[in-house]
Amino acid sequence: MTTGAHHPARPTQAVVLAGGQGSRLRPYTDDRPKPMVEIPGTGTPIIGHQLAWLAAEGVTDAVVSCGHLAEVLQEWLESADLPLKVTTVVEKEPLGRGGGLKYAAAHLPHADQPWYATNGDIWTRFSLRDMAAFHAERDATATLALARPRIPWGVVETDQFGHITDFIEAPPSPYLINAGVYVFSAAFTALLPDIGDHERTTFPRLAREKRLAGFPLPQGAYWRAIDTAKDLTEAAKELAAQNR
């Protein structure tokens, strides 16, 4: 009988990729990295929300991969009262997304166990435990969370005669996208490139071998990528609506 902490479907370790420049979020990112931008009205940076979520989902150890203005992020992590153990790593030279992930993963405490990863600019809430169970049931090497984002424009519906029948404000996209949250088996780390982009190499290879799974976010799960100042404003509005 294994203990819950070592249940194969339940990772207790995670990597947060927090090295992005965040150029589209300027001026917010002039003096801080993107994950250090605060969600208006919360007093907490994006990464603070992420770490709280990971801890609530059973993660005890996180490795934060820093890059742009790394020292700002490291200072905050050192001073914050965090709900889990956090280690930071800084790439000495740009390794690309896949290389950066591999470098960070080398600092996880349990190389023989599965792990979560998340992009540092994603603000979301859903059950990682359910995603880990989905990953284990399919015996996948890697599982991607899939989101259905809202189209940022209103759309027009027409009939076959060219008459407009309806206007729909910000409908959900018909396509699923990579939501920037992952479950990886222990064996995945060795498949990552030392330098380069795993989304162009490792992921397509796993997809061809039917070892890559996609976990659609549950209906009603909150998900937003914080890329622009408009995303911050929208996130604050959504938060206010939830708290009413």
Side-chain angles (χ1 to χ4, degrees), residues 11 16 21-22 26 30 32 34 42 66 82 92 113 115 119 130 134 139 161 166-167 177 194 201-202 207 211:
V16 179
Q21 292 274 345
R26 287 197 175 122
D30 284 346
R32 69 195 63 195
K34 199 175 181 182
T42 71
C66 311
L82 300 172
K92 291 167 185 66
Q113 290 178 26
W115 48 291
N119 295 342
D130 288 354
F134 179 96
D139 198 23
F161 304 110
D166 205 358
F167 295 90
I177 64 159
D194 293 324
T201 54
T202 314
R211 292 159 65 197

Side-chain angles (χ1 to χ4, degrees), residues 4 20 38 44 48 52 61 72 77 80 88 94 102 106 110 115 132 146 157 171 179 183 188 203 206:
E38 287 186 7
T44 304
D61 293 87
V72 179
L77 289 168
T88 59
K102 189 173 194 173
H110 309 291
W115 48 291
L146 303 176
E157 287 193 344
V183 184
F188 176 77
F203 279 175
L206 289 175

Side-chain angles (χ1 to χ4, degrees), residues 10-66:
R10 294 275 175 86
T12 59
Q13 52 186 2
V15 167
V16 179
L17 296 171
Q21 292 274 345
S23 49
R24 287 192 296 164
L25 260 174
R26 287 197 175 122
Y28 296 100
T29 48
D30 284 346
D31 62 352
R32 69 195 63 195
K34 199 175 181 182
M36 278 301 299
V37 172
E38 287 186 7
I39 304 286
T42 71
T44 304
I46 299 165
I47 194 161
H49 292 282
Q50 286 189 322
L51 293 171
W53 173 53
L54 290 170
E57 291 291 329
V59 174
T60 56
D61 293 87
V63 175
V64 177
S65 176
C66 311

Side-chain angles (χ1 to χ4, degrees), residues 58-209:
V59 174
T60 56
D61 293 87
V63 175
V64 177
S65 176
C66 311
H68 174 64
L69 296 173
E71 63 286 353
V72 179
L73 182 49
Q74 287 171 320
E75 277 171 29
W76 182 82
L77 289 168
E78 279 163 25
S79 65
D81 182 16
L82 300 172
L84 72 180
K85 182 173 185 280
V86 175
T87 307
T88 59
V89 296
V90 183
E91 294 170 28
K92 291 167 185 66
E93 63 209 45
L95 300 173
R97 290 193 295 178
L101 198 54
K102 189 173 194 173
Y103 180 66
H107 295 79
L108 289 167
H110 309 291
D112 60 339
Q113 290 178 26
W115 48 291
Y116 297 117
T118 179
N119 295 342
D121 57 356
I122 301 295
W123 191 28
T124 186
R125 284 289 182 279
F126 63 92
S127 172
L128 280 175
R129 290 179 171 95
D130 288 354
M131 184 176 172
F134 179 96
H135 169 83
E137 280 159 16
R138 280 148 191 80
D139 198 23
T141 302
T143 298
L144 284 61
L146 303 176
R148 197 178 289 281
R150 292 203 164 271
I151 294 171
W153 308 283
V155 300
V156 176
E157 287 193 344
T158 60
D159 63 18
Q160 67 266 41
F161 304 110
H163 301 118
I164 290 176
T165 57
D166 205 358
F167 295 90
I168 304 166
E169 195 56 44
S173 165
Y175 299 105
L176 290 164
I177 64 159
N178 177 350
V181 181
Y182 312 90
V183 184
F184 297 134
S185 67
F188 176 77
T189 314
L191 304 177
L192 285 163
D194 293 324
I195 296 177
D197 189 348
H198 61 296
E199 296 195 10
R200 298 210 172 123
T201 54
T202 314
F203 279 175
R205 178 182 147 196
L206 289 175
R208 284 193 299 273
E209 295 168 0

